[in-house]
Each structure stands twice: as C-alpha cells, then as structure tokens.
Amino acid sequence: MEELAVPTVNQEQTMNPRTLFRTVAVAEAVTWAFLLLGMLLKYVTRTTEALVPPAGAVHGFVFLCFVVTTIFIWINQRWPVVTGLLGLASAIIPFATVPFERWIERRGRLGGGWRLAPGADAPRNPAEQVQAWVLRSPLVALFVAIVGISVVFTVLLLVGPPGSSS
C-alpha cells in the first residue's frame, strides 16, 4: 500500500503582512478598474449602466477591506503616521494602492511576520491588544470583521452616495 505524503506548511506560504497587504492592494486596484469600466459604459459610451451597481458594491466592499488591512499592517509594522495616512489615502486615487505597496516594500516596511502573534511581542496598547486577539483567534476575528464590514457597507448603501437625495 502506497503511503500518502502529507504536505508541510512552508513559512513563505503562510499569510504574512507582505502577502496580506499585497493581495488586498491588488484587489482594490482591480475593483477600481471594474468600477471605472462601468462608469465608462454608463457616462461615455452611454451603452449600459448595468455594471455600475455591482462594480460600485464590490469596490466599496474591497475599499473597506483595504482600509481595515492598512490599519492592521500599520499597527504590526509600526509605520510612522505619515506612512499609514498615505496608505489610507492611496485607496482614494484609482490604482494608487499598488504603487504604494511597491513603495513601502522597497523601503522594507512589509518585511517580517506578525509581531504580536502568540509567543511573540506582548501588546502595549489597546490597538495592539486587538491585533494580538485577531492573531490568536483568526477565524473568530475574520467572522467579526466580515460582519463589521458588512454592517458598515450596508449602512453606506442605505445612506447612498454623497449628494443623493432620498
């Protein structure tokens, strides 16, 4: 009988700050493209507006995920305030999250693992305590994050875009 090989987890393959930030930064840029395509079809070619609602919804959700991810990485990597604020601002400009990610990568601000993982550094403030809890209980934290982002997203959908009237 042939024995099945059990794959081992390679440290390079696990989710680390670099992989998480890069993934969400690229996703945010891709959803910008989807939204801009929808707007092009609606406002420039005037062929259809069918893409705008789903593109706007997906982009809005990923935008919120990028904001949460940026804050999470900011805490872990101990970015200076200016770097963190630039990261948040990069989501507002179409496709700017990718150049921002490359910029901070070149400066070594995405290296290393999770500073507050179990058995690593002890949290020193409330933000670090939240991050340490997330790293200790990732599935529960993911569920809480998805629910939280979904609630914010739903409220924003109900309020509508800026300048819209009910």
Side-chain angles (χ1 to χ4, degrees), residues 21-32 62 66 97-98 101:
F21 194 78
R22 180 172 292 152
T23 301
V24 179
V26 169
E28 210 276 342
V30 168
T31 64
W32 257 121
V62 174
F66 180 80
T97 56
V98 173
E101 181 273 328

Side-chain angles (χ1 to χ4, degrees), residues 32-84:
W32 257 121
F34 185 36
L35 179 58
L36 291 172
L37 173 64
M39 292 170 62
L40 174 80
L41 294 174
K42 180 178 180 178
Y43 297 111
V44 177
T45 68
R46 299 185 190 274
T47 53
T48 182
E49 57 184 67
L51 279 184
V52 174
V58 170
H59 176 68
F61 187 79
V62 174
F63 172 86
L64 293 173
C65 291
F66 180 80
V67 168
V68 169
T69 300
T70 300
I71 293 168
F72 197 74
I73 301 299
W74 181 354
I75 292 166
N76 188 75
Q77 302 302 101
R78 294 184 177 152
W79 288 347
V81 172
V82 172
T83 303

Side-chain angles (χ1 to χ4, degrees), residues 159-166:
V159 170
S164 68
S165 58
S166 303

